[in-house]
Amino acid sequence: MTQIKSAPARSGARIMGIGAYRPARIVTNDEIAPLIDSSDEWIQQRTGIEKRRFASDDETLDEMARLAASDAISDAGLNPEQIGVVLVATLTNPVQFPAVAPIVASKLGIPDPGAFDIGAACAGFVYALSTAADMVKSGSVEYALVIGAERMTDVLDFTDRGSAFIFGDGAGAMVVGPADFNGFGPVIFGSDGSQADAISMSSTWFDFRSGKIPEPPTLRMAGQQVFRWAVSEMVAVTQRALTAAGLEPKDLAAFVPHQANNRITDAIVKALDFPDTVAIARDIRESGNTTAATVPLALHALRSEGRAPSGAPALLLGFGAGLTYAAQVVALP
Ligand code: UT7
């Protein structure tokens, strides 16, 4: 057998920096409710959402991604030229191709990086982060930039009672680089394509193009089905990620689940019996559900509150359309 040389593997990688971009415009529940015969009280009780941000025309997907990434690169103490690969988790790139990652990379001034998008919906950021960690550890790159960015307002139907009140826009980013310790536990991921209809587009672009439907397709969600799946399956997934990292709930400094619904977060926190010493991310109150951007935005918010000590272990969990999920223990940046 011919011997193929591999890159020298590294013993450790870690998250070196984190950044965020939140659109300027704050949208309250009262602004959303009249179109869907709802109320601020109902939305807060059923989800925990108090407000969310909606992007303006200038706050394009690549611009929000660029601003979050630039913040993360500075936080890591690096220059854009040092980044070897850019991964963007998103489901709201306004074009099917090219991917948004090379465009963001070019605008950041990163010369000739590997660049690609990851489509795993609300689990996308954790998928991308674990991929980046593996690339750094395998020696494929030295520094990887991971971005979760969404303009959910581009795919929302503001009159759909099942989804219009949930989603928001924004971007978060992290930089992964070499470390003299292991900053990532094993990733636990999976999917259930048999439930792909639970969160999907109302139709295909081809139906719109051929005139079969009068308006472009929008997001549709079978809320109860997704809720039941998340509550019944994500407890075990969270536990598996902890066990795989050799930790117990008391060892964690923070739990950063996808910000889909505070009641889903509550169910997981209760089932795993997290002690009060574990900071629980509740950014959904401020940002709603920003799909692939929730995990970095929620961690960024926790850190701004002084509740995410550098180097301490945190458990990240993403889940959503697909139905996809990914969970991983990481050392905080
Ligand atoms: O990010 C991807 C992952 N996404 C998720 O994990 C989302 C999971 N699902 C959910 O978070 C919840 O299912 C929703 C927040 C979407 C909905 O909450 P729910 O508690 O499942 O509501 P429901 O559909 O069971 O409806 C309960 C009641 C119904 O009234 P009755 O039959 O009890 O009288 C609905 O008609 O609430 C009513 N309702 C509403 N009322 C005011 C449903 N939607 C609304 C609304 N405003 N928007």
Side-chain angles (χ1 to χ4, degrees):
M1 185 68 84
T2 309
Q3 290 298 313
I4 301 174
K5 209 173 138 189
S6 62
R10 295 189 171 88
S11 56
R14 67 167 301 180
I15 303 168
M16 301 178 63
I18 180 168
Y21 181 76
R22 295 167 194 273
R25 186 172 161 227
I26 296 171
V27 177
T28 63
N29 291 338
D30 284 332
E31 205 175 317
I32 306 276
L35 282 175
I36 52 171
D37 184 24
S38 190
S39 66
D40 175 41
E41 190 190 5
W42 189 93
I43 297 169
Q44 286 205 40
Q45 269 179 7
R46 300 304 260 212
T47 67
I49 297 168
E50 294 171 16
K51 50 183 96 110
R52 75 286 290 140
R53 308 276 181 132
F54 280 2
S56 67
D57 290 349
D58 297 342
E59 290 166 317
T60 57
L61 186 75
D62 62 77
E63 182 61 2
M64 292 194 295
R66 182 187 73 80
L67 289 164
S70 183
D71 193 17
I73 293 168
S74 305
D75 191 51
L78 298 176
N79 299 311
E81 302 83 60
Q82 292 171 273
I83 302 292
V85 67
V86 179
L87 293 77
V88 180
T90 187
L91 55 71
T92 49
N93 188 3
V95 293
Q96 272 181 306
F97 63 90
V100 72
I103 295 165
V104 176
S106 168
K107 289 189 173 174
L108 283 162
I110 303 173
D112 199 24
F116 59 103
D117 292 357
I118 285 194
C122 302
F125 188 85
V126 184
Y127 270 88
L129 187 67
S130 68
T131 304
D134 288 348
M135 288 173 129
V136 172
K137 279 192 276 191
S138 68
S140 298
V141 294
E142 190 168 15
Y143 299 109
L145 172 62
V146 186
I147 305 169
E150 302 286 7
R151 267 180 64 107
M152 294 305 292
T153 45
D154 286 344
V155 296
L156 279 189
D157 172 353
F158 293 101
T159 65
D160 177 33
R161 213 168 179 231
S163 63
F165 57 99
I166 294 175
F167 295 95
D169 301 331
M174 295 184 194
V175 173
V176 178
D180 56 9
F181 64 95
N182 177 33
F184 292 92
V187 64
I188 303 297
F189 56 40
S191 63
D192 179 5
S194 73
Q195 296 196 67
D197 286 349
I199 317 175
S200 61
M201 298 298 282
S202 55
S203 193
T204 68
W205 287 108
F206 305 107
D207 287 343
F208 177 57
R209 204 176 167 201
S210 67
K212 208 164 144 191
I213 52 168
E215 301 284 339
T218 51
L219 181 148
R220 283 291 178 278
M221 180 167 74
Q224 280 191 3
Q225 183 184 343
V226 181
F227 191 95
R228 277 199 300 270
W229 170 79
V231 168
S232 71
E233 304 297 324
M234 291 308 107
V235 168
V237 168
T238 307
Q239 181 62 60
R240 281 169 60 204
L242 256 184
T243 307
L247 300 180
E248 295 178 28
K250 67 171 172 48
D251 300 319
L252 291 175
F255 175 47
V256 188
H258 171 48
Q259 303 290 291
N261 189 318
N262 259 345
R263 291 187 293 137
I264 296 174
T265 301
D266 290 343
I268 300 171
V269 168
K270 191 169 168 216
L272 271 82
D273 201 14
F274 284 125
D276 292 345
T277 48
V278 183
I280 310 295
R282 303 279 187 184
D283 187 46
I284 193 167
R285 287 195 288 247
E286 302 291 320
S287 308
N289 179 343
T290 54
T291 305
T294 61
V295 167
L297 282 176
L299 180 53
H300 189 267
L302 269 192
R303 198 176 69 162
S304 310
E305 294 161 14
R307 299 168 69 208
S310 179
L315 204 164
L316 313 184
L317 167 69
F319 56 88
L323 295 171
T324 55
Y325 63 83
Q328 188 168 33
V329 173
V330 301
L332 288 165

